Amino acid sequence: VNAEIIAVGSEMLTPQRVDTNSLYLTDQLNALGIEVIFKCVVGDDRALMAATIRTAIERSGLVILSGGLGPTEDDVTRDAVAEALGRPMRYDEAIFEGITAMFARLGRKVAENNKRQAMVIEGAEVLPNDRGTAPGLWIPIERGGVLLLPGPPRELTNLWEKQARARIEAITEPKVIRTRWLRVAGMGESDLDQLIAPVYTKYVNPATTILAKMGDVEVHLRARCETAEEAEALLAEVAPPIEALLGDRIYSRNGDPLETAVGHLLRDRGATAAVAESCTGGLLGARFTDAPGSSAWFRGGYLVYNADLKRALIGEFTEDPVSEPVALRLAAAAASKAGATYGVSVTGIAGPDGGTEENPVGTVWIGVAGPQGAEAKRFRFPGERSRVRTLAATYALDRLRQALIATQI
Amino acid sequence: VNAEIIAVGSEMLTPQRVDTNSLYLTDQLNALGIEVIFKCVVGDDRALMAATIRTAIERSGLVILSGGLGPTEDDVTRDAVAEALGRPMRYDEAIFEGITAMFARLGRKVAENNKRQAMVIEGAEVLPNDRGTAPGLWIPIERGGVLLLPGPPRELTNLWEKQARARIEAITEPKVIRTRWLRVAGMGESDLDQLIAPVYTKYVNPATTILAKMGDVEVHLRARCETAEEAEALLAEVAPPIEALLGDRIYSRNGDPLETAVGHLLRDRGATAAVAESCTGGLLGARFTDAPGSSAWFRGGYLVYNADLKRALIGEFTEDPVSEPVALRLAAAAASKAGATYGVSVTGIAGPDGGTEENPVGTVWIGVAGPQGAEAKRFRFPGERSRVRTLAATYALDRLRQALIATQI
């Protein structure tokens, strides 16, 4: 079965917006052995949408639409699909009651136009959405099905995971897919590729994908075979030499993000962390506390954006605020003042202004203080302000991770 | 005249690739008053491509294809366009000589398959490409034209600038586009829609779009007229009643994000801010410092994730940490200890654990302390951990904004 993806919404046809949902869906569909042969973006135009859907249904077994399920007049995806399939819609009181209850929990009153979201196409299964008001719809048709998902990525991915994937798997010919997922910190995409390409390029199956985003690289191995045994055997052959090359740069093998991996290393050692942040201004603390349960290992910290606040934390200093001694003292003070086992500090120049000859924009000192003493390292991150800040927070987490794995338990 | 954009290439249908050419082209077309009504990505499949092109030509005056002009067998864009238009192709010796000369300059020998790049569709104008081997093609048709551009962005943009734009301008009726962009905090998408729909639904032009993401809603008005004066007059008619309904919920009219709008309000008052964050763990500070130049108005703050750190900041307390008095004292202490004019505090239950009957997951107290005294407000945010945290940071910024605009300068 082949698939087509239709992203709906006039805002998706502006120069500012990219349809990232289709990338997620393509990845998920490929994992089920389904090929995406066509994807498109169509505005809030019912007739054009219905024509597009009709064409898609004629040539592909699976048609997925994202967006246009909201409560407003210009949300016409349901209507367009009903028109394309030539099926009537009915009002589903139970859905509207669910929406009403959700609004009530939030202390808000449901609006009359939310009734549009309770319209169901004949023959459709309703896919409950616990992250928004618009339910998804799954409409089995002769050679496959039509799937309607809400546009906001957090709702779309959640509905896909919990409701849609299993239904689509059920219409797919049985092929077994097994994956390995390595997450790697502290090296760039092309360095990593050069390192492991000699291994993975020898194999078409498993397929190897390298995905990079700001200081974080993922390696996916994907074996697709007739049986689970075959797939596992393939992975058991290819994954170990890759893991050996990457060594302790691998921070997770189960998809955990870096902050969770670091949190679990702290937890396993009965240790806690605190931060002192200058240029990241809270980003590092936000990363630490992104992980559920982080109160077990994160105590808090100090946003020392202004020099006065740095002095209040570490006392008077004559050095440049972006320097090794200040980074070391910030890390040590964060730990001792917050009563944490480890202190992590970040002080640097995120830009666009503030760069000097010695410390150009992108210069960041990261300090880690712990039971084994304190150390600091200088980084020079490329790119504009938000990239420098994100990279600084990621590398700070990785510096702490390095200190933790050096500590045997 | 409306336009459609077709990106060609099987690699563009993988989870790793985004069609950024269409964003550039959309921006360029909009500037000429041309609306993009549909865009799609199609693999290297000649029949599917020809069908897609035929559909596009039927409904839109301008069809732009990018990619698939290379020398290899799977570069079938030229063939597909010729098939869709029912026109023959001819071999153009002059083009091949140009390609041969370009290769010679690079010290390389031209390959036999480069002859494919010298095939020209009948009636097409050849658009010379000085950054690559594939020339573009411009094929005037009855109501507009079909434009073929090479896929590599530096070739595509160069050909557009030097060759294509002028040809498309020549077939365009003069149309001017003017926009208004309002950003709104503190209300949901459907509430906002209900509030302003009575105004905007009376007009097709300007077109109104409402975009929402986590606690932040944007209203775009887009007027398309024969002259700039007409477009401005239309906006001058429709925008004021919408702005009057939204009042001071509008925080920016120039696209500035909330943190920048708040920063500028502080700056204009010669004021500064500091934070005390519990459940947001740094997200609020990160938002404040996202804006370049934020050191002028943001001093820093305290991540009081752990109860000990809350006590270190405000002294002993017997109340629930998620309560009005604690929020008030955190805000006041953040301001006084950091030497800031305003203190903003966030204390709540982000989940997934930690909810109680009185304070279920999503409950957040936000405090603001300033020269006019301190106040705190209780919120109940929907959704999972990351949404609660993001909404808490956004609403905290908005609470400070409300306090600031209540202060005349």
Side-chain angles (χ1 to χ4, degrees), chain A residues 221-232:
Chain A
L221 302 179
R222 198 162 152 275
R224 211 176 148 216
C225 300
E226 294 299 322
T227 69
E229 289 68 34
E230 280 176 77
E232 289 294 352

Side-chain angles (χ1 to χ4, degrees), chain B residues 87-142:
Chain B
R87 297 194 189 183
M89 295 212 284
R90 62 176 172 78
Y91 171 70
D92 185 323
E93 184 64 32
I95 295 178
F96 188 66
E97 280 166 16
I99 297 173
T100 308
M102 173 176 278
F103 271 74
R105 279 198 301 279
L106 304 172
R108 288 165 54 197
K109 233 177 88 60
V110 73
E112 183 62 23
N113 58 10
N114 285 104
K115 286 199 170 162
R116 293 174 58 85
Q117 300 184 287
M119 296 302 291
V120 175
I121 297 162
E122 190 179 272
E125 274 185 78
V126 176
L127 311 180
N129 177 359
D130 55 23
R131 293 192 180 172
T133 51
L137 293 177
W138 167 242
I139 309 155
I141 57 173
E142 206 179 329

Side-chain angles (χ1 to χ4, degrees), chain B residues 308-381:
Chain B
D308 296 343
L309 275 81
K310 289 189 187 70
R311 276 187 209 99
L313 186 61
I314 63 171
E316 200 49 64
F317 58 91
T318 52
E319 300 90 346
D320 193 306
V322 180
S323 66
E324 182 169 27
V326 171
L328 289 170
R329 285 168 66 186
L330 285 172
S336 67
K337 206 156 166 188
T341 325
Y342 289 88
V344 186
S345 68
V346 183
T347 178
I349 320 277
D353 304 316
T356 63
E357 203 153 316
E358 316 91 86
N359 286 332
V361 167
T363 305
V364 178
W365 276 96
I366 294 174
V368 175
Q372 281 73 40
E375 50 175 7
K377 189 171 170 184
R378 187 180 194 264
F379 292 86
R380 174 77 197 284
F381 297 120

Side-chain angles (χ1 to χ4, degrees), chain A residues 277-316:
Chain A
E277 304 186 50
S278 182
C279 65
T280 43
L283 269 187
L284 178 58
R287 287 285 293 276
F288 266 110
T289 53
D290 213 30
S294 53
S295 57
W297 58 78
F298 184 70
R299 289 184 62 85
Y302 308 91
L303 307 184
V304 291
Y305 205 59
N306 186 286
D308 296 343
L309 275 81
K310 290 188 187 72
R311 277 187 208 99
L313 185 62
I314 63 172
E316 200 50 63

Side-chain angles (χ1 to χ4, degrees), chain A residues 117-153:
Chain A
Q117 300 185 292
M119 296 302 292
V120 175
I121 297 163
E122 190 179 272
E125 276 184 77
V126 176
L127 312 180
N129 177 358
D130 55 23
R131 292 191 179 175
T133 51
L137 293 176
W138 167 242
I139 309 156
I141 58 174
E142 205 178 327
R143 298 178 305 131
V146 180
L147 175 66
L148 282 68
L149 294 172

Side-chain angles (χ1 to χ4, degrees), chain B residues 56-76:
Chain B
I57 291 171
E58 273 165 30
R59 65 188 167 206
S60 297
L62 180 61
V63 177
I64 302 182
L65 293 105
S66 69
L69 301 181
T72 67
E73 285 297 321
D74 63 6
D75 290 306
V76 293

Side-chain angles (χ1 to χ4, degrees), chain A residues 42 45-55 79-81 83-85:
Chain A
V42 55
D45 173 332
R46 177 174 157 166
L48 179 50
M49 211 184 301
T52 303
I53 296 162
R54 237 177 267 123
T55 307
D79 312 70
V81 172
E83 183 182 327
L85 293 171

